Structure formats: C-alpha cells, structure tokens
Amino acid sequence: MVGLGRMGAGMVERLRRGGHEAIGYDRDPKVSQVSSLDELVAKISKPRVVWVMVPSGDPTEQTIATLAGLLDTGDTVVDGGNSYFRDSIRRAEELAEEGIDLLDVGTSGGIWGLREGFCLMVGGSDGAFRRVEPAFETLAPEDGYVHVGPSGAGHFVKMVHNGIEYGLLQAYGEGFEILRGSKLYDLDLHQIAEVWRHGSVVRSWLLDLAESALAADPQLSKLDDFVADSGEGRWTVLEAIEEDVPAPLTALSLFARFASRQESSFAMKMIAALRREFGGHAVKES
C-alpha cells in the first residue's frame, strides 16, 4: 500500500485482519514500514500487487510513473484514489506496454471503512480483477465490490458517485438551514435529524452522520462555512456537458461550494450596484 493516510492506513489494517500480508509505504517515516518505493517493491513476492492511495493529479502520476520503472511483467498497480478516469485510461495503456496491469478502483468508505468496509468500483481487465479479487473481498462489506468495466470505468463510476454525493449534501445542508432560519419555530435540529432516521424517506447514512454532528455541536458553531471540492464534482459536470445530459442539481451544488470560499462576492456587489443605478434601491456600504 502506497499512502497511509486516513483511508490507506485503514485498508492495510483491514487486509491484515483478513489474513493478507500487507506492507505500507508513506512519505512520512513515522508511519511507513519501508524507506522507499524501491524497498517496498523488493519486499513483495511476484506477481506483485501495489495499491496506490495518494491524492489525485501529480502525486498519483509521479507514483505510478516510478512504479512503472520498478515493477515487472505480470505485476499489477491498483489506483484506489480519486483519479480522473481519462487519466486512468492513459495510464493503463502506458503500463500495458511494460506488461503491467492497472486496475482503477473507485473507493468509497472514508474513515469508517476499516469498521464498515469499503465500497469498491473496479475498472480494468478481467484477469487482473480476478488476481486481486481476494483483497477486494476482504476490503469490502458483503456485496460491496464490483467489476464495472474496462480501464477507466471504475473511476468513471466513482466520479458520478461523488457527483451524486454533492447533490445529497447540498439538499441536506439547505434543508437544515431552512429549519434553523424559521421565524415561527425554535426547532431542535438534532431532534429532527434523529426522528428522520426512523422510517423517513430521507433517511440515509449521511443523515446518520448529520445527527451525530448535531449531537456534538447543535449549532455547528465550531465549523467555518468553507467547503472544499476534490475534483470529482467538476469532472461530473464536464462529462454531463460532453454527453448533453442535463445535470442542474450537480452543477449548482458544485457552484455552491465555490460560493462558500468567498469572503466577499464581487458578483453580488455588482448586482447591488446595478440595482442602485437602475432603481435607486438601497445598498449596504462596506
């Protein structure tokens, strides 16, 4: 396992509990079991399986490029990060020239994966999938892994999965803000989240987590309203445009995250200025 962060460390532990031999490498020497990728590869018996759990983009690109020079024909690289699926298609083609398989594995489960299991969406050749399947079976809960198609398919499915997640999170966020903003009722948000978990059509694991967060901090007063995005929402919107698929909810939930990062919105200032200019509407001075 390359990358022993929040998910990688949990995956290594779950594999070991399932009877697999697993060696972990991380740039942080405090958690790494080996000093380099070279040493990691040298310690694994052939045919090797190296699972990469590092951030998408350059970290993944550099890690896989390095591994390409260390591995041999018949070895397999598993990219379990949130890589762009078109990059995964290219990387699979490049590794195939060296006789190395690439499996792109969309991985969902977060910090709960060690206990609950990781949902795995696998792209790549059938042969490589079968070789690594015992690990998938250990990492996932029952019925929690699937071979969805050829190279890139795993990350494509995970990309859309995360696009859906954006919309779900936005809906919960807006709903609870409407409840909190009521001028008629002083509502207990934690109480409402708890009752919705039992028989409601909006019950879900995300709602379970909302209940937990509100139990710890009913007003979420310890949190800032900044919301990051790790790329999958953007890619989902781009693919929707490419395929002429209307996806307004996904797009709006992505743009809402952008708005959360603005201390001051110039666009809203411009709207206020124009309303003042054409209609004499009142504005607030900064």
Side-chain angles (χ1 to χ4, degrees), residues 35-83:
S35 61
S36 66
L37 288 176
D38 299 65
E39 185 181 352
L40 178 77
V41 170
K43 284 182 174 290
I44 307 172
S45 59
K46 298 181 182 180
R48 307 177 183 94
V49 176
V50 181
W51 193 306
V52 178
M53 286 298 291
V54 301
S56 62
D58 286 342
T60 296
E61 187 75 22
Q62 293 170 13
T63 299
I64 293 179
T66 300
L67 289 170
L70 299 173
L71 298 175
D72 298 318
T73 298
D75 292 341
T76 303
V77 174
V78 178
D79 179 5
N82 286 321
S83 293

Side-chain angles (χ1 to χ4, degrees), residues 87-233:
D87 289 336
S88 299
I89 295 172
R90 171 181 55 80
R91 290 170 185 150
E93 292 172 349
E94 293 170 350
L95 289 175
E97 295 178 359
E98 306 298 327
I100 302 168
D101 285 305
L102 175 70
L103 291 174
D104 53 283
V105 180
T107 306
S108 183
I111 59 176
W112 294 87
L114 173 58
R115 189 179 78 181
E116 304 292 338
F118 298 87
C119 179
L120 305 173
M121 299 142 264
V122 186
S125 73
D126 186 65
F129 170 75
R130 294 301 174 195
R131 285 197 298 276
V132 187
E133 188 172 14
F136 299 149
E137 196 168 14
T138 297
L139 287 168
E142 186 176 359
D143 298 325
Y145 73 93
V146 64
H147 185 202
V148 294
S151 295
H155 281 151
F156 182 83
V157 173
K158 178 55 162 49
M159 175 191 75
V160 177
H161 164 284
N162 282 29
I164 293 170
E165 175 191 304
Y166 275 51
L168 292 172
L169 293 174
Q170 188 67 25
Y172 280 122
E174 291 178 6
F176 278 101
E177 183 166 18
I178 293 169
L179 292 171
R180 184 175 182 270
S182 173
K183 295 180 174 60
L184 293 175
Y185 308 109
D186 181 16
L187 299 170
D188 184 331
L189 301 188
H190 173 252
Q191 179 189 60
I192 293 167
E194 173 60 25
V195 75
W196 280 354
R197 295 174 59 224
H198 304 281
S200 163
V201 297
V202 299
R203 66 187 183 275
S204 71
W205 185 57
L206 289 174
L207 186 60
D208 293 344
L209 297 178
E211 181 277 328
S212 177
L214 290 167
D217 183 3
Q219 299 301 320
L220 303 182
S221 56
K222 298 177 182 178
L223 298 178
D224 187 71
D225 62 356
F226 179 98
V227 182
D229 76 282
S230 54
E232 298 88 349

